[in-house]
Every structure is written in C-alpha cells, then in structure tokens.
Amino acid sequence: MNEERGTRDDQRAQADPSSGLGTPDGHQARPALGQDGSAPGTAGARGPGGAGGADGADGAPATGQRPAKKRSKSRSWWIELPILLVFALVLALIIKTFVVQAFFIPSSSMENTLEIGDKVLVNKMVYDFRAIHRGDIVVFNGEGSWDPVASQTAPPLTRLWNSIIGLFGTAPGVHDYIKRVIGIPGDHVACCNAQGQITVNGVPLHEKSYLYPGNAPSTIRFSITVPPGRLWVMGDHRNVSYDSRGHQALPGNGTVPENKVVGRAFVIVAPVSRWRVLSIPATFQQPRLAQAAGSAGPAGPAALPVLSAPVASAVPLGFGLVGAIPLTWLQLRLRRRLAGSQRGSRPPPRPPSWRRPGRG
C-alpha cells in the first residue's frame, strides 16, 4: 500500500513539475542556482548587457543614458556662463554710465586731499537731486572750455573698449579734470583780502584743513563774478594746480560749464590705507556765506531744494543693490547647475547582492 502510494506520487510529480509534490517531503522542487545566483542555462542571458541582468531589466546597461545627460548639462553650463558674463558686463556699464564711476588720480594738483594713484568713486546722479555746492570735488570735461573741441569722435568699438576698461578705474581722460568748486553761478570770487585769503561774496575762506601745507591760497590775483551756468574751480595744491586761475584768457574767464560736470567725487576707495569720505569742508558752510548767497538771488544754492549729503550719497548704492538682485539670482542658478552636474557625473552605488535583479 505504501509502495503503491509512493509510486503514484512519483508519477504525479513527473507529470506535473509545478506541483509541490516534487520531493518526498511535499515541498516544491526548484532548479539549482548557478554560482552567480541564476538558474542553469541563463548565466549568459543575465551577464552584462543581457536581459534581466544586474545592469538593467530591459537588457541595456543602467548607465546607458548617463553620457547623454552629462553632455546636456555641460552644454547648458557653457551656454549660461556667457549669458551671465554678458549680463554682468551690461549691468556694470549701466552703473558706470549713469550711477558711479571710478577714477585714478594722475597728478598732484589735489594733494594732499587726493594723492597720485588714489582711486575715487564719482557719484554721477547726485546733481540730478541737488545743486552743485561750493567745496564739492568734481570731475568735469574741459572740452570746449579749457580744451578745444575734438574734431573727430572715436569709433564706436574704441568707445566701447574704453568704457569696459573704465570699469576698473581709469585716470581722467585727455579732457577730464578733477578740482574743488570754489564759486558757483552768481558768486563773486576774489583774491585776496588783507590777510591773503580768498573771498566769496566778501566772506573769507579758511582753507587750512584742505590746502596743501605751505601753500598760500593763491599767488595769482583775480576778481570775477561767476557767469550763470558756470563754476570757478581750483586745486588744493595751489602752487602746481593749473585751474581756473590759469585759464582766464579763455572764453568764460577760466570758468567751466555746469553741464560738463561728470559727477562728485565722494570717497577714496584705494589704496585701503587712504580710504575716507570726501566731505565738504566746514568753511563752505559758514552762515555768513549762506546769507551772502541768499542775498545774491536765485543763483545761490540756498534757493534750490537739495538732498542731504548722506541721502544723495546713498542713491547710487541703492541702484547698485537693485541691479545686483538679478545678477545674484543668475549666480545661484549657475551654482545649482554646477552642483547637479557634479552629482550626475558620479556613478550610482551598486545595490547589495541580495537586492540585485535576477535573484530567486
């Protein structure tokens, strides 16, 4: 009886291999696994590149798409980088043209306030919000006043190149000068009173705080009423400065047009040991001088609404911060792309052997 049942079980197992009666103990018989965990006869199919292998279920290597993605990310990076550089250049040119420009000091005419090699920032917007004040240090273009009008203009590419070079701070050009404003439109400027002082509207200037040590206020005698729309300017190193005093034979009697003023130098930024704000000396803020200017009529600065110096100096800083927002956004985006590209270039970790596809 037992032998007959065992014979029938053997026959049933041979007829139906999927049944659980393939072994005498009733468990399903399974094919033996190879050394790599695959069934016999499938080792070649589960090898590298084979279907259902450890490198991918579809027969393609898991890294088959990686080179294309890496090339795409690299191409995107090389496209975004020039765009970022061009945007930064355009932004810098806009700020330089309309807001702030750096200048190197090439001569000793403003010593010791400004020394040769100093780098100053010139606020180009301040006079859109207030009038030019006595005591301001200004950069102006002398073409048509101290210098003849240029007969030819530079080619566009040359002007663009000069603008780009100017981003790093340039010395004033052939027609650019930097001086201190002594008289504004309507002022009567004269040298000198009995004490050897320059007077503005009869009020003597106490110039010791900025005048070069050992210099007299002026060794050249003059007396002039500044015409409308023009300025009387002088250097702080009076013995070597070729300023309004030396151009009195020219049209305007040495004065320069207000509309030729590039902007106000408001801070020394280099070298670091020379860093300081260029404020208006106290002598130009004398109450008597302000009263005399008020009695002179609308030409005096007291008749014009002005912004305080801290507010006016903060205007270009505000524009710079606003312009830096999109630039910062592009920089962050570029950094994220670079970080993603670096992560994508690393091969993914291989899964543990017990999690690899193809295991029974």
Side-chain angles (χ1 to χ4, degrees), residues 242-256:
Y242 189 50
D243 47 38
S244 289
R245 298 170 299 166
H247 294 86
Q248 294 185 72
L250 299 176
N253 294 328
T255 60
V256 297

Side-chain angles (χ1 to χ4, degrees), residues 304-331:
L304 298 173
V306 300
L307 289 179
S308 62
V311 175
S313 299
V315 170
L317 177 60
F319 275 88
L321 291 176
V322 171
I325 292 175
L327 182 61
T328 304
W329 177 78
L330 284 177
Q331 288 177 333

Side-chain angles (χ1 to χ4, degrees), residues 256-340:
V256 297
E258 286 184 300
N259 58 12
K260 290 291 186 176
V261 173
V262 175
R264 175 179 179 260
F266 66 98
V267 65
I268 303 173
V269 294
V272 176
S273 60
R274 293 273 301 156
W275 188 94
R276 68 187 183 93
V277 175
L278 300 172
S279 57
I280 298 177
T283 189
F284 294 100
Q285 301 172 10
Q286 298 178 74
R288 289 173 53 202
L289 187 58
Q291 293 170 4
S295 64
L304 298 173
V306 300
L307 289 179
S308 62
V311 175
S313 299
V315 170
L317 177 60
F319 275 88
L321 291 176
V322 171
I325 292 175
L327 182 61
T328 304
W329 177 78
L330 284 177
Q331 288 177 333
L332 291 175
R333 184 176 177 185
L334 182 60
R335 289 177 182 175
R336 290 172 182 170
R337 286 295 186 95
L338 288 174

Side-chain angles (χ1 to χ4, degrees), residues 42-64 350:
T42 63
R46 296 186 184 276
D55 292 326
D58 57 353
T63 59
R350 292 181 64 84

